[in-house]
Amino acid sequence: MTSGSDDLSVRSANSALPRPQPPGERWFSRVGRLFPRNVATDVVTTSVRFHASPETLWQRILTYEDVPASPPLLLRVLLPHPVRTEGDKSCVGASIQCTYKGGDMVKHITVVEPPHLMQFEVTQQRLGIEGCIMTLGGSYEIRSCGDQTEVVLTTNYRGYLRPRYLWRPLERFLAHQLHRHILDGIRASLPRPGLSTTSATAQR
């Protein structure tokens, strides 16, 4: 992976997808350029329980496009937040265009196991934070939990800011905020909102 670029690609994205202009680099992202590239992967997982069937939640994950709510203040200040997605999430090999406030990301669908699992890898990230964080991929997992259903959202990333013991907690906090913003968008599309929320983080 090449460092120090605002337009970093792991794999060529579908040329038919719209490509916004590259965002300007955020000032704090330049700090990451001072450190050697980190090869270790961090994993952040957030889970939310809904009063809805796995099949209903699966359809919402596949079809919802706009994230309607305004994100928390800290998330708005420090990270670009998602606005909408375009593409067929039900097809392995599909490229999904994710538009953010101030940038974009392209995801490549790698696993689809309805109604329980969808995995993806990030093939392009242009968010203006590439000196700090590069997103590698993630997944949506749906689990039956009695009369509720749990949706687990996972993100794999590399953080470059050092010392890692200082920056990792902030990165995880922001990742949780981003996850909850996305999951709240899914919940808002349901007939009945989920009632309980739990979170967990893991590191690899």
Side-chain angles (χ1 to χ4, degrees):
M1 182 177 299
T2 302
S3 62
S5 172
D6 289 339
D7 186 356
L8 302 178
S9 299
V10 180
R11 177 193 308 239
S12 297
N14 190 335
S15 59
L17 294 173
R19 297 190 53 165
Q21 291 298 314
E25 185 179 35
R26 297 187 173 222
W27 65 268
F28 54 82
S29 184
R30 298 173 186 171
V31 179
R33 298 178 183 273
L34 303 176
F35 303 107
R37 299 295 83 179
N38 180 26
V39 297
T41 300
D42 282 285
V43 181
V44 179
T45 300
T46 306
S47 63
V48 176
R49 290 188 180 184
F50 300 90
H51 285 285
S53 68
E55 291 76 15
T56 296
L57 287 165
W58 178 259
Q59 288 303 316
R60 291 300 189 275
I61 290 172
L62 292 184
T63 59
Y64 95 97
E65 295 179 350
D66 296 331
V67 182
S70 177
L73 176 61
L74 190 59
L75 189 60
R76 295 200 305 269
V77 171
L78 293 180
L79 290 180
H81 55 273
V83 177
R84 63 182 178 273
T85 63
E86 301 174 50
D88 183 2
K89 305 181 187 76
S90 66
C91 180
V92 172
S95 290
I96 309 301
Q97 179 77 39
C98 303
T99 301
Y100 282 68
K101 182 71 172 181
D104 71 306
M105 179 182 291
V106 177
K107 300 176 181 178
H108 177 78
I109 303 298
T110 57
V111 176
V112 177
E113 297 178 1
H116 298 296
L117 179 65
M118 180 179 69
Q119 292 182 345
F120 59 88
E121 62 181 17
V122 173
T123 59
Q124 184 180 93
Q125 175 182 307
R126 302 191 303 172
L127 301 177
I129 59 171
E130 284 66 47
C132 293
I133 292 174
M134 286 298 300
T135 309
L136 303 178
S139 66
Y140 290 86
E141 187 175 359
I142 299 176
R143 305 170 180 169
S144 296
C145 299
D147 62 345
Q148 299 183 69
T149 301
E150 185 176 56
V151 177
V152 183
L153 178 52
T154 299
T155 297
N156 309 313
Y157 75 96
R158 288 195 180 110
Y160 299 140
L161 295 179
R162 299 173 187 271
R164 295 302 300 146
Y165 70 82
L166 178 63
W167 289 100
R168 185 177 290 114
L170 176 60
E171 294 166 358
R172 290 183 171 183
F173 174 79
L174 291 173
H176 279 303
Q177 293 283 301
L178 181 59
H179 286 176
R180 289 181 181 277
H181 179 56
I182 294 170
L183 292 169
D184 282 347
I186 295 173
R187 179 168 55 188
S189 71
L190 294 172
R192 296 178 58 189
L195 298 181
S196 62
T197 302
T198 59
S199 297
T201 59
Q203 178 190 355
R204 290 178 185 172

